[in-house]
């Protein structure tokens, strides 16, 4: 929001500090500037789920008032924001188009854009100016205003009240903290002679909209995924099993939400080897991941290892499979450093890191909407780059997460994301998701560029 024309983060600004001052949200912006930004965001597909977009638009409108707008100024302005969907680059391109006159792609066809978005996210997802403005139907927005509420603020249980503010007061909610605990790699590398080894750590999905759902008695719970934007991590969110208007705090999301399963692997140049996959108490059965790895790498032995830690999930983007495909791509990479992956879903990608930029060539069948498939590819690049280099959360000796703020997850910020160049193959074949192949190929290319060391993240 803008307070007396200056951008402020609404969720950490006490109401007392704005008493008697001019406060503006997206709807209060200069309509000419707002509409230009909204159109630019739509053209570049700089908004996917849309949850974070209104705040970013407000921030950029404030930046435009200061006059000089360039790539660096936009990335610095985004320092207080996180967009997990787009990888930031489409946002930067939209800002430069709306505020600095840079060229923009043509308007998107809303139907084609939504079709590609739905294909990539795996659940119904809308596209268009309304999404940019934050008007997508997020789960809690659709609940009756007079519904009783339940707030999950810890690892278990709920606090019931007539409003969320009352529930927060009763729960004694405290802001989460970062820890000084070192990251752990809970799965030991398999024994044997291997050409490539890897250990991964606990990774928080870090989606922006906390889990929320509501349900009428004997009705169907509202989907916590809403307009997507969770990389599959909410597909089986436990919150949808409750029959009230329920919401988790950010801290509860970290404590209760499922994590990407840590693993350790050892592979040989001929594609044989061992993958050891973590399983924790109370987790979903990991059998689907075991079978998925066996299908994509039949020469690899898969072992399941019980460890202490937060619950792991099986629906996260490419869980276990992407890491294995990335390792195989590293082993197969030539002197040019290009890592090639064909995902189980059919998409193909070739990714390389050159001169500080990430180059992507992808074939996802019929693109449907070039801007949209490009945005999803850049988002997959960002997630992969961040996961290899900086992402991870610490847990204590009992396996309880102790990093409870978004800042502590290690997500690469806008100012540190390398430029991404995307070439989309023209194809008339049936459309398939681009994200899984781009994600796995980028994991490989970034890992290779980082020296293919034995642990992710490489820089922590």
């Amino acid at each position: 929001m803008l307070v007396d024309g200056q951008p402020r983060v609404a969720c950490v600004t006490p109401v007392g500090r704005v008493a008697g001052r001019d406060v503006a949200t997206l709807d209060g912006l200069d309509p000419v500037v707002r509409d230009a930004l909204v159109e630019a965001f739509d053209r570049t597909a700089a908004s996917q789920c849309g949850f974070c977009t209104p705040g970013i638009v407000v921030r950029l409108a404030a930046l435009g008032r200061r006059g000089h707008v360039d790539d660096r100024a936009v990335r610095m302005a985004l320092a207080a924001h996180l967009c997990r969907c787009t990888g930031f680059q489409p946002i930067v391109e939209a800002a430069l188009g709306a505020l600095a006159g840079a060229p923009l792609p043509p308007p998107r066809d809303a139907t084609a854009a939504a079709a590609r978005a739905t294909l990539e996210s795996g659940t119904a997802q809308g596209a268009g100016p309304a999404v940019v403005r934050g008007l997508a139907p997020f789960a809690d927005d659709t609940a009756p205003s007079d519904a009783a509420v339940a707030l999950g603020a810890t690892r278990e249980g709920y606090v019931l009240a007539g409003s969320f503010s009352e529930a927060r007061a009763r729960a004694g909610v405290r802001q989460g903290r970062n820890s000084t605990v070192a990251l752990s790699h809970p799965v030991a590398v398999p024994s044997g002679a291997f050409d490539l080894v890897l250990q991964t750590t606990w990774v928080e999905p870090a989606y922006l909209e906390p889990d929320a759902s509501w349900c009428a008695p004997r009705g169907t719970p509202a989907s916590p995924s809403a307009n997507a934007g969770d990389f599959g991590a909410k597909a089986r969110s436990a919150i949808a099993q409750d029959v009230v208007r329920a919401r988790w705090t950010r801290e509860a999301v970290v404590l209760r939400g499922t994590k990407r399963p840590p693993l350790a692997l050892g592979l040989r140049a001929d594609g044989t080897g061992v993958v050891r996959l973590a399983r924790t108490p109370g987790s979903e059965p990991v059998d689907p991941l075991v079978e998925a790895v066996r299908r994509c790498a039949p020469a690899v032995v898969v072992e399941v290892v019980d460890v202490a830690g937060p619950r792991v999930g099986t629906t996260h983007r490419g869980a276990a499979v992407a890491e294995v495909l990335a390792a195989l791509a590293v082993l197969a990479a030539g002197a040019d450093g290009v890592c090639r992956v064909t995902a189980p879903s059919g998409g193909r990608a070739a990714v390389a890191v050159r001169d500080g930029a990430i180059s992507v060539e992808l074939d996802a069948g019929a693109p449907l909407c070039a801007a949209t498939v490009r945005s999803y590819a850049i988002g997959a690049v960002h997630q992969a780059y961040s996961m290899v280099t900086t992402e991870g959360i610490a847990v204590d000796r009992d396996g309880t997460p102790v990093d409870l703020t978004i800042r502590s997850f290690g997500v690469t910020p806008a100012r540190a994301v390398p430029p991404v160049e995307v070439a989309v193959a023209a194809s008339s074949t049936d459309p398939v998701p681009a994200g899984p192949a781009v994600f796995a190929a980028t994991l490989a290319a970034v890992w290779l560029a980082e020296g293919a060391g034995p642990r992710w993240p490489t820089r922590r």
Side-chain angles (χ1 to χ4, degrees), residues 62-74 96 99-100:
L63 176 65
R65 292 182 180 181
R66 291 164 49 186
H68 180 68
V69 177
D70 60 15
D71 185 284
R72 182 178 183 277
V74 174
L96 295 178
L99 303 176

Side-chain angles (χ1 to χ4, degrees), residues 27 78 113 124 136 180 228-229 233 248 295 305 368 398 421-422 425 439 459:
D27 288 336
L78 294 173
T180 57
W248 289 349
R295 285 195 299 271
V305 180
L368 301 178
D398 296 327
E421 302 162 354
V422 180
F439 179 56
R459 301 181 187 177

Side-chain angles (χ1 to χ4, degrees), residues 130-317:
V131 174
V132 180
R133 295 176 67 114
L135 300 178
F138 298 106
D140 191 55
D141 297 339
T142 62
S145 59
D146 60 349
V149 303
L151 182 69
T154 56
R155 295 189 73 177
E156 298 179 349
Y158 287 89
V159 174
L160 303 179
S163 68
F164 282 117
S165 58
E166 182 184 347
R168 286 180 66 88
R170 289 185 181 180
V173 172
R174 296 288 186 270
Q175 178 69 40
R177 295 289 184 265
N178 303 351
S179 79
T180 57
V181 177
L183 298 182
S184 61
H185 296 76
V187 184
V189 172
S191 59
F194 301 108
D195 297 297
L196 189 68
V197 297
L198 173 67
Q199 288 177 292
T200 65
T201 187
W202 304 105
V203 176
E204 168 62 32
Y207 46 78
L208 271 290
E209 183 196 16
D211 297 59
S213 183
W214 70 276
C215 186
R218 294 175 296 281
T220 301
S223 170
S225 292
N227 201 44
D230 56 32
F231 310 108
K234 291 183 185 176
R236 296 175 182 158
S237 174
I239 202 168
Q241 300 170 10
D242 301 308
V243 289
V244 291
R245 184 182 181 188
R247 187 193 299 169
W248 289 349
T249 63
R250 170 58 57 190
E251 295 79 11
V253 170
V254 184
L255 293 168
R256 300 188 187 197
T258 58
K259 309 294 176 266
R260 188 179 190 88
L263 56 77
L265 60 80
L267 298 184
R268 304 178 186 91
D270 63 1
T272 61
V274 179
V275 175
R276 309 185 77 208
L277 187 64
R279 177 175 58 194
T280 57
S283 292
E284 304 166 6
V286 297
D287 298 4
L289 296 186
V290 173
E291 292 305 313
V293 171
R294 287 173 176 164
R295 285 195 299 271
C296 75
V300 171
V301 175
V302 184
E303 300 175 352
V304 177
V305 180
D306 290 312
V307 300
R311 294 190 307 123
V312 299
T314 61
T315 58
H316 298 62
R317 174 187 268 168

